[in-house]
Amino acid sequence: TSGISLSLGLVAYCFSGHAIVPSIYTSMKEPQKFDEMATITFVGVISCCLAVGLSGYYMFGNQVADQVTLSMELAIEAPLLMRSLVWLMILTAFSKVTLTMFPLALGVEEIVAPYLTSEGAIGAASAVIKVVLTVLALIVAIYVPSFSFLCALVGMICTMSVSIIFPAAAHLKMFGPRLSSWEKFLDWVFILVGLVMAVGGTIATI
């Protein structure tokens, strides 16, 4: 049970991509289907995370590494299969980093843009900003010790607040008089569970 708090933070961190939601919404061909798309996406992500987590624990038990592929590399004698899996993980990381960095890069570009005079300079600055942010993220991932603990800490403090506590509290505040008792109950459950997980997980991680 000692790793439960850490695992909760890591799981929460996986769902901390709210910064890209506006970009996804505005780029959709049919934005009115956003709710349906988000529901299907979250169900898919949760199913995949549970399948991978349960499979790793079933195969290796408490000896499973932070990344299940590290344990698989030691236990499975299939070099071609493992190499293919590694490259798939790299491609996934590239796509995830690009999506996550986009809103941050866009914000930096808006700060820099007034000081540039031509479209070519703006395009070059945009490319440089994206590359620099990606390289900085890579450096942090490589050289920051116990990066999983940092992700768990961010997941507990930031993600629990932004993704669980604040939306439920805002929903309760804005639509309270029009909500049914069941909806109010669910909002309070999200708020209280989020607070308990954020506080308990943060203390355990530190």
Side-chain angles (χ1 to χ4, degrees):
T1 59
S2 59
I4 291 179
S5 299
L6 176 62
S7 63
L8 289 175
L10 293 173
V11 170
Y13 187 80
C14 294
F15 293 89
S16 60
H18 288 67
I20 65 171
V21 169
S23 300
I24 295 175
Y25 180 83
T26 55
S27 64
M28 288 182 66
K29 185 177 181 180
E30 299 178 81
Q32 65 273 16
K33 294 185 178 180
F34 177 81
D35 289 344
E36 179 183 351
M37 179 276 299
T39 300
I40 295 173
T41 301
F42 271 86
V43 170
V45 170
I46 291 172
S47 301
C48 291
C49 288
L50 283 175
V52 172
L54 291 174
S55 299
Y57 187 77
Y58 178 77
M59 293 170 65
F60 305 107
N62 292 331
Q63 303 302 316
V64 65
D66 290 343
Q67 298 179 25
V68 69
T69 49
L70 297 177
S71 298
M72 292 173 64
E73 188 174 6
L74 297 175
I76 300 176
E77 296 183 2
L80 181 60
L81 177 63
M82 292 307 304
R83 192 176 297 112
S84 302
L85 183 59
V86 168
W87 278 107
L88 286 174
M89 291 179 62
I90 291 172
L91 291 175
T92 302
F94 269 119
S95 62
K96 182 179 292 187
V97 169
T98 304
L99 283 172
T100 306
M101 286 295 179
F102 180 76
L104 179 59
L106 195 60
V108 177
E109 289 170 22
E110 291 178 354
I111 296 174
V112 175
Y115 302 98
L116 304 175
T117 56
S118 66
E119 290 293 331
I122 292 175
S126 174
V128 170
I129 289 169
K130 290 182 175 68
V131 171
V132 169
L133 289 175
T134 304
V135 170
L136 289 175
L138 176 63
I139 292 172
V140 170
I142 293 175
Y143 292 105
V144 172
S146 302
F147 188 60
S148 61
F149 287 93
L150 178 61
C151 290
L153 191 61
V154 171
M156 283 299 180
I157 297 175
C158 300
T159 306
M160 286 296 177
S161 301
V162 175
S163 304
I164 298 178
I165 300 171
F166 177 76
H171 185 249
L172 198 60
K173 179 68 175 179
M174 295 172 65
F175 305 103
R178 289 181 285 174
L179 297 178
S180 65
S181 299
W182 172 246
E183 290 173 322
K184 292 180 180 179
F185 172 75
L186 285 179
D187 281 336
W188 278 111
V189 167
F190 279 119
I191 293 171
L192 294 176
V193 171
L195 284 171
V196 170
M197 291 175 65
V199 174
T202 302
I203 293 173
T205 302
I206 295 175

